[in-house]
Amino acid sequence: MPRTILTDSRWELLLKTMKSTGRIYDKSEHRMTFEGILYRMRTGIPWRDLPSEFGEWSTVYRRFNLWSKKGLLNHLFNHLSKMADFEWVFLDGSIVRAHRYSTGAASCATEQIGKSRGGNTTKIHLAVDSGGLPICFDLSEGQRNDIVHAESLVEQLDKINTIICDKGYDSKAFRDFVRRKGGRTVIAKRNCGQDISKDTMDWCLYKYRHLVENAFAKIKHYRPISSRYDKLERNYASMVSLAFMLMWLPMYF
């Protein structure tokens, strides 16, 4: 029997959350299907190589694709992350390599796969709370600058207090945007003749930016996250949501 990771209590929480959307029925095989999806996310094996204990690989994949299309997996992450502490929010972006099999989707959209010096890439834009737990994220092409999705991440926050970012977010427009929302920013300035003395910002708080880097490090242990294999943006976003969801589950038990 392949290794599974969901305890009875954790599965009951996830099943209750999914059923609350009215988009699925309570079927006994859902648990092993869900475990099969998590198994593939953890190991990075092709869908066709899923162990038979999880059921037919095509059934598991079709269920994943359907749940992704319905937004169920994203809903799980969004529901669990409601416990976030919004006192400090850290923003950052991280590039992941898009495998050549992830290109060629039957779509006119870019599916958030872009060209950069590293080839085909996708960027994850992430906001984490005071404890380093993920709150929300966006996907973009790999060549997009972090500042492009900064306002989008802030708009998704329930509360806006202090936003901490690196120099990639150094923008007067973004600072003014956060200020209008009732928050303040801790953002280092680029070395372009600007005043970057110790009195201009809270450097002690700025050092805690490693919390968002830690979140990226945790989800990149999963091969389908660190190397994108999914052709569709929604499917890759669902995999990222599952990885972030696993970071939140221990907070409930």
Coordinates of all heavy atoms in Angstrom, one line a residue, residues 125-189:
H125 N 3.4 34.5 -7.5 CA 3.4 35.7 -6.6 C 2.6 35.4 -5.3 O 1.4 35.0 -5.4 CB 2.7 36.9 -7.3 CG 3.3 37.2 -8.7 ND1 4.3 38.2 -8.8 CD2 3.1 36.7 -9.9 CE1 4.7 38.2 -10.1 NE2 3.9 37.4 -10.8
L126 N 3.3 35.5 -4.2 CA 2.7 35.0 -2.9 C 2.7 36.1 -1.8 O 3.6 36.9 -1.7 CB 3.6 33.8 -2.5 CG 3.2 33.2 -1.1 CD1 1.8 32.6 -1.1 CD2 4.3 32.1 -0.8
A127 N 1.7 36.0 -1.0 CA 1.6 36.8 0.2 C 1.5 35.8 1.4 O 0.6 34.9 1.4 CB 0.4 37.7 0.2
V128 N 2.3 36.0 2.4 CA 2.3 35.1 3.6 C 2.0 36.0 4.8 O 2.3 37.2 4.8 CB 3.6 34.3 3.8 CG1 3.8 33.5 2.6 CG2 4.7 35.2 4.1
D129 N 1.5 35.4 5.9 CA 1.1 36.2 7.1 C 2.3 36.3 8.0 O 3.4 35.9 7.7 CB -0.1 35.6 7.7 CG 0.1 34.2 8.4 OD1 1.3 33.7 8.3 OD2 -0.8 33.7 9.0
S130 N 2.0 36.7 9.3 CA 3.0 37.0 10.3 C 3.7 35.7 10.7 O 4.9 35.7 11.1 CB 2.4 37.6 11.5 OG 1.7 38.8 11.2
G131 N 3.0 34.5 10.5 CA 3.7 33.3 10.9 C 4.3 32.6 9.7 O 4.7 31.4 9.8
G132 N 4.3 33.2 8.5 CA 4.9 32.6 7.3 C 4.0 31.6 6.6 O 4.4 30.9 5.8
L133 N 2.7 31.7 6.9 CA 1.7 30.8 6.3 C 1.1 31.5 5.1 O 0.8 32.7 5.2 CB 0.6 30.4 7.3 CG 1.1 29.4 8.4 CD1 0.0 29.3 9.5 CD2 1.4 28.1 7.8
P134 N 0.8 30.8 4.0 CA 0.3 31.5 2.8 C -1.1 32.0 2.9 O -2.0 31.4 3.5 CB 0.4 30.4 1.7 CG 0.3 29.1 2.5 CD 1.0 29.4 3.8
I135 N -1.3 33.2 2.4 CA -2.7 33.8 2.4 C -3.3 33.7 1.0 O -4.5 33.3 0.9 CB -2.6 35.3 2.9 CG1 -1.9 35.4 4.2 CG2 -4.0 35.9 2.9 CD1 -1.6 36.9 4.6
C136 N -2.6 34.2 0.0 CA -3.1 34.2 -1.4 C -1.9 34.2 -2.3 O -0.8 34.5 -1.9 CB -4.0 35.4 -1.6 SG -3.2 37.0 -1.3
F137 N -2.2 33.9 -3.6 CA -1.2 33.9 -4.6 C -1.8 34.1 -6.0 O -3.0 33.9 -6.2 CB -0.4 32.5 -4.6 CG -1.2 31.4 -5.1 CD1 -1.1 31.0 -6.5 CD2 -2.0 30.6 -4.3 CE1 -1.9 30.0 -7.0 CE2 -2.8 29.5 -4.8 CZ -2.7 29.2 -6.2
D138 N -0.9 34.6 -6.9 CA -1.3 34.8 -8.3 C -0.2 34.1 -9.1 O 0.9 33.9 -8.7 CB -1.3 36.3 -8.7 CG -2.5 37.0 -8.1 OD1 -3.6 36.3 -7.8 OD2 -2.5 38.2 -8.0
L139 N -0.6 33.7 -10.3 CA 0.3 33.2 -11.3 C 0.5 34.2 -12.5 O -0.4 34.9 -12.8 CB -0.1 31.8 -11.9 CG -0.3 30.7 -10.9 CD1 -0.8 29.4 -11.6 CD2 1.0 30.4 -10.1
S140 N 1.7 34.2 -13.0 CA 2.0 35.0 -14.2 C 3.1 34.4 -15.0 O 3.7 33.4 -14.6 CB 2.4 36.4 -13.8 OG 3.8 36.4 -13.3
E141 N 3.3 34.9 -16.2 CA 4.5 34.5 -17.0 C 5.7 34.8 -16.2 O 5.8 35.7 -15.5 CB 4.5 35.2 -18.3 CG 3.3 34.9 -19.2 CD 2.2 36.0 -19.1 OE1 2.2 36.6 -18.0 OE2 1.4 36.2 -20.0
G142 N 6.8 34.0 -16.5 CA 8.0 34.1 -15.7 C 8.7 35.4 -15.9 O 9.4 35.8 -15.0
Q143 N 8.5 36.1 -17.0 CA 9.2 37.4 -17.2 C 8.6 38.6 -16.5 O 9.1 39.7 -16.6 CB 9.4 37.6 -18.7 CG 8.1 38.1 -19.4 CD 7.3 36.9 -19.9 OE1 7.5 35.8 -19.5 NE2 6.4 37.2 -20.8
R144 N 7.4 38.4 -15.9 CA 6.7 39.5 -15.3 C 7.4 40.0 -14.1 O 7.9 39.2 -13.3 CB 5.3 39.2 -15.0 CG 4.4 38.8 -16.2 CD 4.3 39.9 -17.2 NE 3.5 39.5 -18.4 CZ 3.5 40.2 -19.5 NH1 4.3 41.2 -19.6 NH2 2.8 39.7 -20.5
N145 N 7.5 41.3 -13.9 CA 8.1 41.9 -12.7 C 7.2 41.7 -11.5 O 5.9 41.6 -11.6 CB 8.4 43.4 -12.9 CG 9.3 43.9 -11.8 OD1 8.9 44.1 -10.7 ND2 10.5 44.1 -12.2
D146 N 7.7 41.5 -10.3 CA 6.9 41.3 -9.1 C 5.9 42.4 -8.8 O 4.8 42.1 -8.4 CB 7.9 41.2 -7.9 CG 8.7 39.9 -7.9 OD1 8.3 39.0 -8.6 OD2 9.7 39.9 -7.2
I147 N 6.3 43.6 -9.1 CA 5.4 44.8 -8.8 C 4.1 44.7 -9.6 O 3.1 45.3 -9.2 CB 6.2 46.1 -9.1 CG1 5.4 47.3 -8.5 CG2 6.4 46.3 -10.6 CD1 5.3 47.3 -7.0
V148 N 4.1 44.0 -10.7 CA 2.9 43.9 -11.5 C 1.7 43.3 -10.8 O 0.5 43.7 -11.0 CB 3.1 43.1 -12.8 CG1 1.9 42.9 -13.6 CG2 4.2 43.8 -13.7
H149 N 2.0 42.4 -9.9 CA 0.9 41.7 -9.2 C 0.8 42.1 -7.7 O 0.1 41.5 -6.9 CB 1.1 40.2 -9.2 CG 0.6 39.6 -10.5 ND1 -0.6 39.0 -10.7 CD2 1.3 39.5 -11.7 CE1 -0.7 38.6 -12.0 NE2 0.4 38.9 -12.6
A150 N 1.6 43.1 -7.3 CA 1.6 43.6 -5.9 C 0.2 44.1 -5.5 O -0.3 43.7 -4.4 CB 2.6 44.7 -5.7
E151 N -0.4 44.9 -6.3 CA -1.7 45.5 -5.9 C -2.8 44.4 -5.9 O -3.7 44.4 -5.0 CB -2.1 46.6 -6.8 CG -1.2 47.8 -6.7 CD -1.7 49.0 -7.5 OE1 -2.9 48.9 -8.0 OE2 -1.0 50.0 -7.6
S152 N -2.7 43.4 -6.8 CA -3.6 42.3 -6.8 C -3.6 41.5 -5.6 O -4.6 41.1 -5.0 CB -3.4 41.5 -8.0 OG -4.2 40.3 -8.0
L153 N -2.4 41.2 -5.0 CA -2.2 40.5 -3.8 C -2.8 41.2 -2.6 O -3.5 40.7 -1.8 CB -0.8 40.1 -3.5 CG -0.1 39.1 -4.5 CD1 1.4 39.0 -4.2 CD2 -0.8 37.8 -4.4
V154 N -2.5 42.5 -2.6 CA -3.0 43.4 -1.4 C -4.6 43.4 -1.5 O -5.2 43.4 -0.4 CB -2.4 44.8 -1.5 CG1 -3.0 45.7 -0.5 CG2 -0.9 44.7 -1.3
E155 N -5.1 43.5 -2.7 CA -6.6 43.6 -2.8 C -7.3 42.3 -2.2 O -8.4 42.4 -1.8 CB -7.0 43.7 -4.3 CG -6.7 45.1 -4.9 CD -7.8 46.1 -4.5 OE1 -8.6 45.8 -3.6 OE2 -7.7 47.2 -5.0
Q156 N -6.6 41.2 -2.2 CA -7.1 39.9 -1.7 C -7.1 39.8 -0.2 O -7.6 38.8 0.3 CB -6.4 38.7 -2.4 CG -6.6 38.7 -3.9 CD -5.8 37.6 -4.5 OE1 -6.0 36.4 -4.2 NE2 -4.9 37.9 -5.4
L157 N -6.4 40.7 0.5 CA -6.2 40.6 1.9 C -7.5 41.1 2.6 O -8.1 42.1 2.2 CB -5.0 41.4 2.4 CG -3.7 41.1 1.7 CD1 -2.6 42.0 2.3 CD2 -3.3 39.6 2.0
D158 N -7.9 40.4 3.7 CA -9.0 40.8 4.5 C -8.7 42.0 5.3 O -9.6 42.9 5.5 CB -9.4 39.7 5.4 CG -10.0 38.5 4.7 OD1 -10.4 38.6 3.5 OD2 -10.0 37.4 5.2
K159 N -7.5 42.2 5.8 CA -7.0 43.3 6.5 C -5.7 43.8 6.0 O -4.9 43.0 5.5 CB -6.9 43.0 8.0 CG -8.2 42.6 8.7 CD -7.9 42.2 10.1 CE -9.2 41.7 10.8 NZ -8.9 41.2 12.2
I160 N -5.4 45.1 6.0 CA -4.2 45.6 5.5 C -3.5 46.4 6.6 O -4.0 47.5 7.0 CB -4.4 46.5 4.3 CG1 -5.0 45.7 3.2 CG2 -3.1 47.1 3.8 CD1 -5.4 46.5 2.0
N161 N -2.4 45.9 7.2 CA -1.7 46.6 8.2 C -0.3 47.0 7.8 O -0.1 48.2 7.4 CB -1.6 45.8 9.5 CG -3.0 45.5 10.1 OD1 -3.8 46.5 10.3 ND2 -3.3 44.3 10.5
T162 N 0.6 46.1 7.8 CA 2.0 46.4 7.4 C 2.4 45.4 6.2 O 2.3 44.2 6.4 CB 3.0 46.2 8.5 OG1 2.6 47.1 9.6 CG2 4.4 46.6 8.1
I163 N 2.8 45.9 5.1 CA 3.2 45.2 4.0 C 4.8 45.3 3.9 O 5.3 46.4 3.8 CB 2.6 45.7 2.7 CG1 1.1 45.8 2.8 CG2 3.0 44.8 1.5 CD1 0.4 44.5 3.1
I164 N 5.4 44.1 3.9 CA 6.9 44.1 3.8 C 7.3 43.4 2.5 O 6.9 42.3 2.2 CB 7.5 43.3 5.0 CG1 7.0 44.0 6.3 CG2 9.0 43.3 5.0 CD1 5.9 43.2 7.0
C165 N 8.2 44.1 1.8 CA 8.6 43.5 0.5 C 10.1 43.9 0.2 O 10.7 44.8 0.9 CB 7.8 44.1 -0.7 SG 6.1 44.3 -0.4
D166 N 10.7 43.3 -0.8 CA 12.1 43.6 -1.1 C 12.1 44.7 -2.1 O 11.1 45.3 -2.5 CB 12.8 42.3 -1.6 CG 12.2 41.8 -2.9 OD1 11.4 42.5 -3.6 OD2 12.4 40.6 -3.2
K167 N 13.3 45.0 -2.7 CA 13.5 46.1 -3.6 C 12.7 46.0 -4.9 O 12.5 47.0 -5.6 CB 15.0 46.3 -3.9 CG 15.8 46.6 -2.7 CD 17.3 46.7 -3.1 CE 18.2 47.0 -1.9 NZ 19.6 47.1 -2.2
G168 N 12.3 44.8 -5.2 CA 11.5 44.6 -6.5 C 10.2 45.3 -6.4 O 9.5 45.5 -7.5
Y169 N 9.7 45.7 -5.2 CA 8.4 46.3 -5.0 C 8.6 47.8 -4.8 O 7.7 48.5 -4.3 CB 7.7 45.7 -3.9 CG 7.3 44.3 -4.2 CD1 8.2 43.2 -3.9 CD2 6.0 43.9 -4.7 CE1 7.8 41.9 -4.2 CE2 5.7 42.6 -4.9 CZ 6.6 41.6 -4.7 OH 6.2 40.3 -4.9
D170 N 9.8 48.4 -5.0 CA 10.1 49.8 -4.7 C 9.3 50.6 -5.8 O 9.8 50.8 -6.9 CB 11.6 50.0 -4.8 CG 11.9 51.5 -4.5 OD1 11.0 52.2 -3.9 OD2 13.0 51.9 -4.8
S171 N 8.2 51.1 -5.4 CA 7.4 51.9 -6.3 C 6.5 52.9 -5.5 O 5.9 52.5 -4.5 CB 6.4 51.0 -7.1 OG 5.4 51.8 -7.7
K172 N 6.6 54.2 -5.8 CA 5.8 55.2 -5.1 C 4.3 54.9 -5.3 O 3.5 55.1 -4.4 CB 6.2 56.6 -5.6 CG 5.5 57.7 -4.9 CD 5.9 59.1 -5.4 CE 5.2 60.2 -4.6 NZ 3.7 60.1 -4.7
A173 N 4.0 54.5 -6.5 CA 2.5 54.2 -6.8 C 2.0 53.1 -5.8 O 0.9 53.2 -5.3 CB 2.4 53.8 -8.2
F174 N 2.9 52.1 -5.6 CA 2.4 51.0 -4.7 C 2.4 51.4 -3.3 O 1.4 51.1 -2.5 CB 3.4 49.8 -4.9 CG 3.0 48.6 -4.0 CD1 1.8 48.0 -4.1 CD2 4.0 48.1 -3.1 CE1 1.4 47.0 -3.3 CE2 3.7 47.0 -2.3 CZ 2.4 46.5 -2.4
R175 N 3.4 52.2 -2.9 CA 3.3 52.7 -1.5 C 2.1 53.6 -1.3 O 1.4 53.5 -0.2 CB 4.6 53.6 -1.2 CG 5.8 52.8 -1.0 CD 7.0 53.7 -0.6 NE 8.2 52.9 -0.2 CZ 9.1 52.6 -1.1 NH1 9.0 53.0 -2.4 NH2 10.2 51.9 -0.7
D176 N 1.7 54.4 -2.2 CA 0.5 55.2 -2.1 C -0.7 54.4 -2.1 O -1.7 54.7 -1.4 CB 0.5 56.2 -3.3 CG 1.6 57.3 -3.2 OD1 2.1 57.5 -2.1 OD2 1.9 57.9 -4.2
F177 N -0.7 53.3 -2.9 CA -1.9 52.4 -2.9 C -2.1 51.8 -1.6 O -3.3 51.8 -1.1 CB -1.6 51.3 -4.0 CG -2.7 50.2 -4.0 CD1 -3.9 50.4 -4.6 CD2 -2.4 49.0 -3.4 CE1 -4.8 49.4 -4.6 CE2 -3.4 48.0 -3.4 CZ -4.6 48.2 -4.0
V178 N -1.1 51.3 -0.9 CA -1.2 50.7 0.4 C -1.6 51.7 1.4 O -2.5 51.5 2.3 CB 0.1 50.0 0.8 CG1 0.0 49.5 2.3 CG2 0.5 48.9 -0.1
R179 N -1.1 52.9 1.3 CA -1.4 54.0 2.3 C -2.9 54.3 2.1 O -3.6 54.6 3.2 CB -0.6 55.2 2.0 CG -0.7 56.3 3.1 CD 0.3 57.4 2.8 NE 1.7 57.0 2.8 CZ 2.4 56.9 1.6 NH1 1.9 57.4 0.5 NH2 3.7 56.5 1.7
R180 N -3.4 54.4 0.9 CA -4.9 54.7 0.7 C -5.7 53.6 1.3 O -6.9 53.8 1.7 CB -5.2 54.8 -0.8 CG -4.6 56.1 -1.4 CD -5.3 56.4 -2.7 NE -5.0 55.3 -3.7 CZ -4.0 55.2 -4.5 NH1 -3.1 56.2 -4.5 NH2 -3.8 54.2 -5.3
K181 N -5.2 52.3 1.4 CA -6.0 51.2 2.0 C -5.9 51.2 3.5 O -6.4 50.3 4.2 CB -5.4 49.9 1.4 CG -5.7 49.7 -0.1 CD -7.1 49.4 -0.3 CE -7.4 49.1 -1.8 NZ -8.8 48.8 -2.1
G182 N -5.1 52.1 4.1 CA -5.0 52.2 5.5 C -3.8 51.5 6.1 O -3.8 51.3 7.3
G183 N -2.9 51.1 5.3 CA -1.7 50.3 5.8 C -0.4 51.1 5.6 O -0.4 52.2 5.1
R184 N 0.7 50.5 6.0 CA 2.0 51.1 5.8 C 2.9 50.1 5.1 O 2.6 48.9 5.1 CB 2.6 51.6 7.1 CG 3.1 50.4 8.0 CD 3.6 51.0 9.4 NE 4.1 49.9 10.2 CZ 5.4 49.7 10.3 NH1 6.3 50.4 9.7 NH2 5.8 48.7 11.2
T185 N 4.0 50.5 4.5 CA 4.9 49.6 3.8 C 6.3 49.7 4.4 O 6.7 50.7 5.0 CB 5.0 50.0 2.3 OG1 5.5 51.4 2.2 CG2 3.7 49.9 1.6
V186 N 6.9 48.5 4.4 CA 8.4 48.4 4.7 C 9.0 47.8 3.5 O 9.1 46.6 3.3 CB 8.6 47.5 6.0 CG1 10.1 47.4 6.2 CG2 7.9 48.1 7.2
I187 N 9.6 48.7 2.6 CA 10.1 48.3 1.4 C 11.5 49.0 1.2 O 11.6 50.2 1.3 CB 9.2 48.7 0.2 CG1 7.8 48.1 0.4 CG2 9.8 48.2 -1.1 CD1 6.8 48.5 -0.7
A188 N 12.5 48.2 1.0 CA 13.8 48.8 0.8 C 13.9 49.5 -0.6 O 13.2 49.1 -1.6 CB 14.9 47.7 0.8
K189 N 14.6 50.6 -0.6 CA 14.7 51.4 -1.9 C 15.9 50.9 -2.7 O 16.9 50.4 -2.1 CB 14.9 52.8 -1.6 CG 13.7 53.5 -0.9 CD 13.8 54.9 -0.7 CE 12.6 55.6 -0.1 NZ 12.7 57.0 0.2

